[in-house]
């Protein structure tokens, strides 16, 4: 992730006319005091979209003209590219900077971890994976034989027929609350969806009555954090765990973590860079956006302590410390890796002997609704308290507070989109009807007080 100041530079470069490119580059070099004598090395990867090859050649041309060195890995998921960069920046201490190195590191940790599982048969060991017609399908198939003794995956939407993210993938499943096209689902089968570049994952299943159940990033974070807390209790190690969420996290997940699991929860602004930054404050920082984008960060101190305990402790306790060590190895140094998140989830379900229904039943999500309202200028909305309170325009937050009081177990917030002139509305309440009604009423308040354009928000979804 780029520092915010470098995001500005990237925007300037992206918007520069060709004849101005040199001037803009020189401006960045001077502003950042870039040492042009220092060797530069650029790691390149691309996905399966037809445009990617041409774009990667353009990157190579740019690096070559500026006399940098590069390594082109060809086809990679986004998290695999992160892995290569981290391996190179730690001079190979983290792992081998090759695709085989990535496969071996993750699958070895997964197989070691699942060896401890007492459940027999394959009821926990088969998983259907929707790869959103993206790069994840290709890479999961390449990796499959490395961990096949611990898990059998069936890949759907592998890119041979459908379009990238079209009627499939994590975003589609999360926003439409229904299974992807191109996948047959039997009742109580464990299924998951990656997004196109394989850095997000959501799980789901159909119950015996045919009802669809989504298990999103909140429930993944809850499963992982509760398991890690149990392991630390078993070895008597008091490391500092924190779960980081955004305002979009379901209220039931926050309550379960704080009141049942006794795990502290923190809220940040939306966006992985905010979650990641906060998670780095803990010995073990866990963050997942509700859309399935997330990971677990172990501090260097926590890592060293766990590795030491895996050598020193006796028998059963040593086994538990070893499991923690395997989990450290499974979490790739990326802001989210669907393959690594999938393997950790599968290992925990096997180790705890949980079915997908039992996992889902840890807590019940509050019904919620997300809407967007078109406005003339999204910048009229300013927020505070991790985007949960609107500061401007005047009167909007008071209007939201009044509406929220009408419904049980309810909350609502609004925030401006980062990319378009729309305001995003989130509402939750004790029933779907109430959540829908609250979302609509808040949308009307935004339309009236924040310069709505076009047609007034209509009830009904």
């Amino acid at each position: 992730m780029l520092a915010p100041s470098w995001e500005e530079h990237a925007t300037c470069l992206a918007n520069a006319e060709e004849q101005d490119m040199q001037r803009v580059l020189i401006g960045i070099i001077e502003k950042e005091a870039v040492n042009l004598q220092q060797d530069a090395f650029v790691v390149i990867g691309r996905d399966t979209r037809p445009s990617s090859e041409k774009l990667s050649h353009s990157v190579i041309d740019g690096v070559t003209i500026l006399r940098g060195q590069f390594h082109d890995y060809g086809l990679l998921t986004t998290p695999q590219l992160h892995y290569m960069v981290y391996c190179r920046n730690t001079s190979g201490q983290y792992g081998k900077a090759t695709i085989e190195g990535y496969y071996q590191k993750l699958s070895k940790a997964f197989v070691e971890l699942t060896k401890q599982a007492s459940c027999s048969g394959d009821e926990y060991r088969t998983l259907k994976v929707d790869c959103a017609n993206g790069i994840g399908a290709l890479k999961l198939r390449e990796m499959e034989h490395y961990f096949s003794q611990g898990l059998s995956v069936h890949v759907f939407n592998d890119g041979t027929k459908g379009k990238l993210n079209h009627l499939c993938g994590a975003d589609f499943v999360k926003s439409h609350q229904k299974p992807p096209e191109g996948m047959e689902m039997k009742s109580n089968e464990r299924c998951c969806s990656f997004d196109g570049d394989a850095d997000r994952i959501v799980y789901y299943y159909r119950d015996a009555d045919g009802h669809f159940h989504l298990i999103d990033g909140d429930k993944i974070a809850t499963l992982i954090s509760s398991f890690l807390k149990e392991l630390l209790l078993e070895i008597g190690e008091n490391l500092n765990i924190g779960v980081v969420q955004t305002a979009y996290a379901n209220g039931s997940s926050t309550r379960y973590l704080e009141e049942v699991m006794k795990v502290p929860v923190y809220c940040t602004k939306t966006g992985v860079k905010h979650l990641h930054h906060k998670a780095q404050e803990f010995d073990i920082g866990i963050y997942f956006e509700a859309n399935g984008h997330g990971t677990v960060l172990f501090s260097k101190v926590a890592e060293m302590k766990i590795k030491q305990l895996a050598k020193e402790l006796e028998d059963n306790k040593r086994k538990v410390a070893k499991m923690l060590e395997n989990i450290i190895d499974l979490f790739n140094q990326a802001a989210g890796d669907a393959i690594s998140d999938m393997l950790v989830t599968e290992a925990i379900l096997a180790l705890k002997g949980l079915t997908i229904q039992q996992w889902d039943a840890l807590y019940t999500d509050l019904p919620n609704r997300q809407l967007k309202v078109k406005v003339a200028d999204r910048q009229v909305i300013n927020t505070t308290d991790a985007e949960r309170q609107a500061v401007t325009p005047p009167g909007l937050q008071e209007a939201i507070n009044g509406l929220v009081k009408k419904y049980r177990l309810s909350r609502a917030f609004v925030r401006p989109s980062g990319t378009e002139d729309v305001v995003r509305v989130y509402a939750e309440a004790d029933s779907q009807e109430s959540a829908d009604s609250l979302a609509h009423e808040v949308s009307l308040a935004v339309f009236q007080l924040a310069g709505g354009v076009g047609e007034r928000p209509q009830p009904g979804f």
Side-chain angles (χ1 to χ4, degrees):
M1 288 174 287
L2 286 172
S5 60
W6 281 84
E7 283 183 10
E8 286 173 32
H9 298 330
T11 303
C12 286
L13 280 166
N15 292 325
E17 297 294 337
E18 197 160 337
Q19 65 271 22
D20 297 330
M21 185 66 79
Q22 188 174 347
R23 179 181 57 76
V24 174
L25 273 172
I26 289 167
I28 295 168
I29 289 164
E30 288 172 352
K31 186 172 180 186
E32 298 293 341
V34 174
N35 176 7
L36 294 178
Q37 305 312 309
Q38 190 175 324
D39 286 341
F41 195 93
V42 180
V43 178
I44 301 164
R46 62 183 168 84
D47 63 23
T48 49
R49 283 175 289 189
S51 56
S52 284
E53 198 162 356
K54 189 175 176 219
L55 285 167
S56 100
H57 286 314
S58 295
V59 172
I60 290 167
D61 288 345
V63 174
T64 307
I65 287 164
L66 292 168
R67 293 193 289 281
Q69 294 176 295
F70 67 89
H71 185 96
D72 181 9
Y73 280 95
L75 293 164
L76 288 181
T77 68
T78 302
Q80 285 172 346
L81 181 69
H82 294 167
Y83 168 86
M84 302 306 170
V85 172
Y86 198 76
C87 288
R88 286 176 174 276
N89 285 345
T90 55
S91 305
Q93 285 181 318
Y94 181 71
K96 285 185 197 157
T98 61
I99 196 66
E100 287 76 24
Y102 170 91
Y103 294 153
Q104 284 163 1
K105 185 179 172 76
L106 267 67
S107 54
K108 180 172 178 266
F110 171 74
V111 171
E112 286 289 317
L113 200 50
T114 49
K115 271 183 194 165
Q116 313 287 334
S118 56
C119 58
S120 57
D122 68 354
E123 58 183 314
Y124 304 115
R125 305 301 182 132
T126 303
L127 177 69
K128 288 185 168 178
V129 187
D130 154 37
C131 288
N133 294 314
I135 180 71
L138 184 72
K139 294 301 166 180
L140 191 55
R141 285 230 165 101
E142 284 178 6
M143 187 179 186
E144 197 180 346
H145 74 272
Y146 286 88
F147 60 70
S148 54
Q149 66 197 84
L151 177 69
S152 169
V153 296
H154 299 285
V155 175
F156 296 84
N157 297 318
D158 63 0
T160 51
K161 293 195 288 273
K163 290 181 189 170
L164 181 72
N165 290 326
H166 181 61
L167 303 176
C168 60
D171 284 345
F172 172 84
V173 172
K174 167 78 177 151
S175 56
H176 291 85
Q177 304 271 315
K178 66 180 186 182
E181 293 207 355
M183 182 193 276
E184 285 294 313
M185 281 173 72
K186 294 181 188 144
S187 66
N188 297 323
E189 273 187 326
R190 222 168 47 261
C191 306
C192 69
S193 284
F194 293 177
D195 66 332
D197 57 356
D199 62 3
R200 295 181 193 185
I201 184 171
V202 293
Y203 272 77
Y204 45 92
Y205 69 100
R206 275 195 203 283
D207 63 24
D209 297 325
H211 295 129
F212 178 79
H213 295 251
L214 174 71
I215 299 178
D216 64 8
D218 295 339
K219 275 211 169 121
I220 295 170
T222 304
L223 179 76
I224 293 169
S225 52
S226 55
F227 184 67
L228 289 174
K229 184 162 186 196
E230 284 166 24
L231 294 185
L232 290 170
L233 282 170
E234 276 189 64
I235 58 171
E237 190 51 58
N238 190 25
L239 289 171
N240 175 16
I241 293 188
V243 176
V244 189
Q245 297 183 327
T246 71
Y248 286 107
N250 196 278
S252 291
S253 73
T254 312
R255 269 192 288 278
Y256 179 82
L257 283 163
E258 290 182 330
E259 294 170 17
V260 180
M261 291 311 306
K262 308 292 183 197
V263 174
V265 179
Y266 302 84
C267 190
T268 71
K269 288 167 73 171
T270 305
V272 171
K273 62 184 174 187
H274 301 296
L275 291 151
H276 196 87
H277 185 71
K278 184 69 183 173
Q280 287 173 320
E281 295 178 16
F282 307 99
D283 292 328
I284 303 175
I286 300 141
Y287 72 84
F288 274 83
E289 291 187 291
N291 63 22
H293 196 168
T295 192
V296 178
L297 301 177
F298 290 84
S299 71
K300 286 278 173 254
V301 171
E303 219 172 288
M304 283 164 62
K305 200 173 268 192
I306 288 164
K307 289 189 174 176
Q308 196 63 33
L309 291 168
K311 289 180 193 156
E312 293 174 356
L313 289 171
E314 317 248 319
D315 302 335
N316 272 352
K317 285 193 174 181
R318 188 192 300 134
K319 264 188 197 171
V320 173
K322 193 76 189 152
M323 284 160 74
L324 280 162
E325 195 176 5
N326 288 326
I327 289 172
I328 290 170
D329 283 341
L330 263 171
F331 278 109
N332 169 16
Q333 285 289 328
D337 182 345
I339 293 175
S340 124
D341 293 341
M342 175 192 84
L343 292 175
V344 171
T345 301
E346 290 300 313
I348 294 173
L349 292 175
L351 286 160
K352 289 176 75 71
L354 285 176
T355 64
I356 193 158
Q357 306 94 301
Q358 289 168 324
W359 174 21
D360 188 29
L362 287 177
Y363 62 83
T364 303
D365 276 333
L366 282 167
N368 56 83
R369 178 64 66 192
Q370 292 185 46
L371 299 174
K372 54 186 182 181
V373 182
K374 282 189 180 177
V375 292
D377 178 11
R378 68 183 185 274
Q379 292 179 344
V380 300
I381 302 248
N382 281 294
T383 62
T384 186
D385 187 25
E387 302 180 307
R388 291 176 289 190
Q389 298 280 317
V391 180
T392 63
L396 179 58
Q397 189 56 50
E398 289 75 11
I400 294 169
N401 293 347
L403 293 167
V404 164
K405 282 179 186 163
K406 292 165 56 179
Y407 302 93
R408 285 192 65 247
L409 296 176
S410 65
R411 69 184 181 98
F413 68 90
V414 301
R415 55 179 286 271
S417 161
T419 52
E420 52 184 327
D421 278 323
V422 297
V423 176
R424 302 195 184 280
V425 173
Y426 178 90
E428 66 184 29
D430 64 336
S431 71
Q432 191 62 57
E433 191 183 357
S434 293
D436 289 350
S437 180
L438 176 57
H440 174 244
E441 289 184 310
V442 172
S443 297
L444 281 174
V446 170
F447 190 85
Q448 286 158 3
L449 296 168
V453 294
E455 206 176 316
R456 284 166 63 83
Q458 299 298 312
F461 306 95

